[in-house]
Each structure stands twice: as structure tokens, then as C-alpha cells.
């Protein structure tokens, strides 16, 4: 169990690789896809990569022996700019928590290059990493029954954008009209894992 | 081309096929027929390839007519089947004449029946599948009263006889999950020693189990990680949930065990209030699905 990956047994057809953090999970998943591994699903998480539909777990683990943190460059995914109107209802409480004003929150969020670490919760909902631990914000104690599609939100150190309207407990700081999810596109998710993301402030539409 | 006219959809009818595989990393649930062997039998009986789409009928109550004569078969939860008021039987191929009315009663046991039509339900695929996913609502909408469902062209002859699947559902065999260490003691032994009952809130997302809560030794939420079909997830209340086809692709509660793929069809047919038993897999190795 030494080395960068801890392998966990996951039923009859899957294995779970545990690594140190989101960037390593994303890197291992990208490495596995480039290596052409035969798995039905390769699913990065916050600190794991799930390989599902695997016929031979031993062969898979050997094929990934060459992976090391950093072997897939952290910043080689495509860069997507997302226009955001920063007028969310939780902008003021986030500013208070960060000990700044609303303009300070916008500056911090737009000045950080975020990376889509993994998707979950809803099709095309990307967990965007990049904010430091001291900027973590707690989820709402009571989730909102309806968060509009396009809401730009934060929870813990993650940023996320709701691709469709749903209940949600993340802090809402803005909104975008970017098409985050379209199953008829070749790339249905705008922010697929590995995508680098810049939030660009706009004044509204 | 034939069209099925749905007069009554019953409590829940959806279009299903083998599911939407390869998109979990974008947050897309797999979907697909919950009772795989029953769906596969229906497809074989009407001469369809295994990846054709059919109707998954929950609690019966479906009533359809066809614009043209078609071969149909009803499998899964045993349900009274009538064509134009005449009982025609279950697990066999039946000719539905043009304008003829196919009617499903209420299942005697089980939950989900499958209606295959020669040629398959030919709705537009989304991400390579015609399945309705009831978590994110990708794919065709749930079948409503009055719906018109296109039927494709038959590709093979119907098969009048087939080997039925083993009829007796057994205990759900378990494999270790990645977070087995989050429950005190040997979690597989604990699960196998506990009497569970199927919870009312069970659906295509998960089979929810009521019983003595499992004591979690670590209660913090995990960082989100990928989950598989059949994952046994334990939320903070200690009541396990077996993930079925429409499960979220990632989750934050620990997965302590995984149900053998060969036993998942049983989960599709267990009714709320019915007992559920788990069993250990000897040696913990994978078994070939039936």
C-alpha cells in the first residue's frame, strides 16, 4: 500500500484509487484515459478515482504503475471563460466571512484560475477547485428549495454552477447565461473534469 | 412504422434499455431496466437485439393499442395480461393485432413488469441510450396517458420458447465496499445477520432498508467519490441504501459493501414491507451474473 495510490476493493467489477487531493485525482483519471484503459467508467472524485466495469483489477493497477503526481500537467485542460453577473443573495455574507467587501469577493473569485475536478450532483455540475482553505464557506443550514439554473455558487472551497434548476445548499454569489449542459453537443458538459475555468465579471443582460 | 398509443400509463411506466454507460464522470446516472434478466427475456421473445428499448411498468396498470399488428411479450413481475379482453399469459410472445388493446393488471408479486415490442420503442436516444433516468430526467419523459410511442422495424423473428431465469430470488450476496472500515466490526457479517425490510421510499434510485441501524465508527461526511450500481451506502442514520440504476454517480456517504451484479434483479422486484436478507460471498470473489 505504498506509493501515490491506495487501492480499495469495490465489489465484483470495480476498484477505487485513493490519492492525496482533487488535482491528483484529476491527473490520475486523465492519465488512465490517455493510457486507453478498458473500464466502462473512469470517475474522478475529490480524493479518489473510481474504475468501474473492470475485468482484471490487477492488470489495471499495473497499467497505472507509471502514474505519479504531476506526471500529467496540472494545467493542460482547455480554458473556458464564464461570464458572471455577481449579484447573488449570499455575496454579502461571503464578503463578511472573507473580511472584505463584495468587490473584494468578486476580485478574489475572478482572479483565481479554477479547475473542474469532477462532476456530480447533476449532469454537468462541476466541482471547481482552486480556492485556498482559508476561503472555505459553510453550506447553508437549510438548503433553498429552488436554485435557478446558471447560479454561480460556493461551498467549502468549491465553486460550482447549477446547470439546471434544483434544490441546493450552496452559497449563491452570481449567475451566468453560459450553456453548461447540452446532451446534444459533442461535449455535453461545458466544464468536464480537467477544464480550466475563469469567471469573468459582466454587468448584466 | 407502428405506433403504440398509451391509453393508461399506470402508476409509473418508463422507456428503458441497457442504460447510458460511459458518462458517469459528467454526473450522468446510468439508468436502464432495473430487472435486467426479465428485460433481456422480453427482448429475446420478440426477436429484438439486447440493446433495444422496452417499457418498464411499475405496479402494472398499462393499457396500449398498436397502429399495426406487432409481436409483444410481457415479463418480470407476473401480471395478468389481456389482449382485447382475452387472457394471454406472461413470459411468452403474443400477437397484438392492429388496433388491438394490450392491458396489464396488477402484479401478483414483484414490482416491475417489462413490455417488449418487436422493433423496440424507437424514441430518440440521448447520449446513446433511450432510457429514462428518473434522477436527472435525461432521456424520454415518463410515459403519460395519451402518449404516442414510435416502434422500430423488427430485425428478427420472435422466439416462441425461451429458458426462464431461476424463479426464486435468494439473499443478496455481498462483496466488500471501499469504506467497510467505517462500520464497527465486520460490516458484511453485520449486514448478513440483520433482518431488513424494504422501505416505502424505495425507487429506481435506491432500495432503502429499514432495520437495526448500523453503527458508524466515523460519522464525518466523506469527500465525494464515485459510486457503482449495487453499492450499499450507509447514511448517518445507519439505514443502508442499495444503489439501483438511477443512483447519483458520486456520493458523500460511505459505501461499505456492494451487492453482487447477479442479484440486482431481485432488488427490482422487492416490495415495500418485504424482508431482505444479505449473504456473504464465499471468498469474496466475483461471481458470474446469471
Amino acid at each position: 500500500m505504498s506509493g501515490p495510490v491506495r487501492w480499495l476493493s469495490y465489489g465484483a467489477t470495480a476498484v477505487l484509487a485513493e490519492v492525496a487531493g482533487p488535482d491528483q485525482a484529476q491527473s490520475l483519471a486523465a492519465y488512465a484515459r490517455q493510457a486507453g484503459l478498458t473500464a466502462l467508467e473512469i470517475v474522478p472524485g475529490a480524493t479518489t478515482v473510481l474504475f468501474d466495469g473492470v475485468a482484471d483489477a490487477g492488470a489495471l493497477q499495473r497499467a497505472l504503475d507509471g502514474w505519479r503526481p504531476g506526471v500529467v500537467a496540472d494545467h493542460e485542460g482547455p480554458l473556458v471563460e464564464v461570464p458572471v453577473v455577481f449579484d447573488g443573495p449570499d455575496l454579502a455574507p461571503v464578503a463578511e466571512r472573507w473580511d472584505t467587501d463584495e468587490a473584494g469577493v468578486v476580485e478574489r473569485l475572478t482572479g483565481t484560475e479554477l479547475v473542474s475536478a469532477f462532476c456530480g450532483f447533476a449532469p454537468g455540475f462541476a466541482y471547481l477547485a482552486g480556492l485556498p482553505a482559508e476561503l472555505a464557506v459553510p453550506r447553508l443550514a437549510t438548503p433553498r428549495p429552488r436554485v435557478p439554473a446558471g447560479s454561480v455558487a460556493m461551498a467549502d472551497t468549491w465553486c460550482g454552477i447549477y446547470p439546471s434548476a434544483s434544490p441546493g445548499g450552496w452559497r449563491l454569489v452570481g449567475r451566468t447565461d453560459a450553456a453548461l449542459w447540452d446532451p446534444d453537443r459533442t461535449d455535453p458538459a461545458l466544464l468536464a473534469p480537467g477544464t480550466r475555468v475563469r469567471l469573468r465579471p459582466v454587468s448584466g443582460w | 412504422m407502428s405506433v403504440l398509443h398509451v391509453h393508461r400509463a399506470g402508476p409509473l411506466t418508463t422507456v428503458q434499455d441497457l442504460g447510458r454507460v460511459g458518462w458517469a464522470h459528467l454526473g450522468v446516472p446510468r439508468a436502464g431496466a432495473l430487472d435486467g434478466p426479465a428485460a433481456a427475456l422480453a427482448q429475446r421473445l420478440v426477436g429484438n437485439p439486447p440493446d433495444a428499448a422496452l417499457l418498464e411498468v411499475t405496479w402494472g396498470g398499462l393499457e396500449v393499442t398498436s397502429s399495426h399488428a406487432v409481436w409483444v411479450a410481457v415479463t418480470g413481475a407476473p401480471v395478468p395480461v389481456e389482449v382485447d379482453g382475452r387472457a394471454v399469459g406472461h413470459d411468452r410472445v403474443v400477437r397484438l393485432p392492429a388496433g388491438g388493446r394490450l392491458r396489464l393488471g396488477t402484479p401478483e408479486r414483484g414490482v416491475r413488469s417489462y413490455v417488449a415490442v418487436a422493433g423496440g420503442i424507437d424514441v430518440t436516444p440521448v447520449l446513446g441510450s433511450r432510457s429514462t433516468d428518473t434522477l436527472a430526467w435525461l432521456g424520454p419523459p415518463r410515459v403519460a396517458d395519451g402518449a404516442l410511442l414510435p416502434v422500430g422495424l423488427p430485425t428478427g423473428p420472435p422466439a416462441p420458447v425461451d429458458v426462464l431465469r431461476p424463479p426464486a430470488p435468494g439473499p443478496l450476496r455481498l462483496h466488500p465496499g471501499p469504506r467497510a472500515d467505517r462500520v464497527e466490526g465486520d460490516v458484511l457479517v453485520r449486514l448478513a445477520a440483520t433482518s431488513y425490510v424494504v422501505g416505502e421510499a424505495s425507487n429506481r434510485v435506491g432500495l432503502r432498508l429499514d432495520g437495526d441501524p448500523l453503527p458508524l465508527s466515523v460519522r464525518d461526511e466523506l469527500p465525494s467519490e464515485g459510486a457503482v450500481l449495487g453499492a450499499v451506502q450507509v447514511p448517518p442514520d445507519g439505514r443502508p441504501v442499495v444503489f439501483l440504476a438511477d443512483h447519483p454517480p458520486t456520493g458523500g456517504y460511505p459505501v461499505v459493501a456492494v451487492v453482487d451484479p447477479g442479484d440486482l434483479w431481485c432488488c427490482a422486484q422487492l416490495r415495500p414491507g418485504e424482508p431482505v436478507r444479505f449473504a456473504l460471498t464465499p471468498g469474496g470473489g466475483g461471481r458470474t451474473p446469471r
Side-chain angles (χ1 to χ4, degrees):
Chain A
M1 286 299 192
S2 61
V5 177
R6 187 166 81 107
W7 290 101
L8 300 170
S9 149
Y10 203 144
T13 62
V15 283
L16 190 70
E18 197 169 53
V19 292
D23 43 344
Q24 288 196 18
Q26 176 42 41
S27 164
L28 176 60
Y31 184 88
R33 282 190 192 279
Q34 284 166 18
L37 285 180
T38 49
L40 286 181
E41 306 278 5
I42 299 174
V43 189
T47 60
T48 54
V49 181
L50 170 69
F51 299 91
D52 190 14
V54 174
D56 182 347
L60 177 118
Q61 290 166 15
R62 282 191 297 281
L64 295 177
D65 266 352
W67 177 80
R68 289 290 176 274
V71 71
V72 176
D74 288 345
H75 302 295
E76 67 172 21
L79 177 68
V80 170
E81 258 197 8
V82 178
V84 178
V85 180
F86 284 96
D87 61 357
D90 299 324
L91 198 56
V94 169
E96 195 177 330
R97 192 157 191 102
W98 287 6
D99 200 16
T100 180
D101 55 10
E102 297 188 7
V105 173
V106 174
E107 199 175 311
R108 203 64 206 259
L109 286 173
T110 55
T112 306
E113 186 174 284
L114 305 167
V115 179
S116 168
F118 63 97
C119 290
F121 175 66
F125 185 99
Y127 286 71
L128 305 175
L131 290 178
E134 67 265 22
L135 295 186
V137 296
R139 287 170 170 76
L140 297 174
T142 308
R144 291 185 171 89
R146 188 177 182 280
V147 172
S151 295
V152 178
M154 299 187 56
D156 199 357
T157 58
W158 301 107
C159 290
I161 308 175
Y162 287 78
S164 50
S166 72
W170 289 34
R171 307 267 173 177
L172 309 185
V173 295
R175 60 199 159 93
T176 181
D177 63 352
L180 293 150
W181 175 252
D182 179 355
D184 295 330
R185 275 193 312 233
T186 313
D187 297 317
L190 181 67
L191 310 180
T195 306
R196 293 176 297 139
V197 182
R198 279 270 178 191
L199 305 181
R200 181 167 55 84
V202 293
S203 55
W205 48 78
Chain B
M1 200 170 73
S2 308
V3 174
L4 283 190
H5 183 180
V6 178
H7 299 276
R8 286 197 308 135
L12 174 64
T13 295
T14 56
V15 179
Q16 298 294 338
D17 56 15
L18 298 177
R20 206 166 268 115
V21 174
W23 301 100
H25 64 292
L26 299 185
V28 175
R30 158 193 310 240
L34 236 49
D35 183 341
L41 171 63
Q43 304 287 26
R44 291 197 302 273
L45 287 170
V46 299
N48 282 347
D51 61 350
L54 45 48
L55 297 176
E56 181 178 277
V57 183
T58 313
W59 300 118
L62 178 75
E63 206 171 307
V64 298
T65 52
S66 174
S67 62
H68 297 67
V70 285
W71 293 104
V72 297
V74 180
T75 65
V79 66
V81 183
E82 288 177 2
V83 168
D84 290 328
R86 186 171 48 89
V88 294
H90 192 256
D91 286 346
R92 56 186 289 256
V93 64
V94 173
R95 190 74 170 162
L96 180 64
R101 186 168 292 234
L102 175 75
R103 197 161 162 260
L104 273 61
T106 303
E108 299 139 27
R109 58 178 189 279
V111 178
R112 295 175 175 92
S113 307
Y114 292 86
V115 179
V117 183
I121 305 294
D122 195 19
V123 293
T124 307
V126 174
L127 297 177
S129 165
R130 295 181 171 87
S131 290
T132 297
D133 145 41
T134 64
L135 186 71
W137 294 103
L138 281 180
R142 70 184 274 180
V143 175
D145 293 353
L148 298 173
L149 300 173
V151 175
L153 291 174
T155 54
V161 285
D162 199 289
V163 180
L164 301 184
R165 67 158 187 240
L172 307 176
R173 291 163 298 168
L174 292 174
H175 301 272
R179 307 296 171 187
D181 58 357
R182 288 213 164 197
V183 171
E184 291 162 21
D186 185 328
V187 65
L188 298 193
V189 171
R190 287 196 97 115
L191 283 166
T194 306
S195 300
Y196 289 104
V197 167
V198 177
E200 288 288 337
S202 299
N203 54 21
R204 284 185 45 88
V205 175
L207 186 74
R208 289 165 189 281
L209 302 179
D210 293 332
D212 287 341
L214 282 174
L216 288 168
S217 51
V218 187
R219 285 182 169 273
D220 322 344
E221 203 165 308
L222 278 166
S224 283
E225 62 189 28
V228 304
L229 184 63
V232 181
Q233 197 190 51
V234 184
D237 70 5
R239 293 191 167 80
V241 180
V242 181
F243 271 180
L244 303 182
D246 292 354
H247 73 84
T250 60
Y253 297 133
V255 171
V256 299
V258 183
V259 172
D260 191 272
D263 294 341
L264 285 171
W265 70 271
C266 303
C267 300
Q269 301 297 0
L270 285 163
R271 294 180 165 193
E274 286 186 337
V276 180
R277 303 290 318 203
F278 289 110
L280 305 175
T281 26
R287 279 190 49 162
T288 314
R290 278 174 290 205

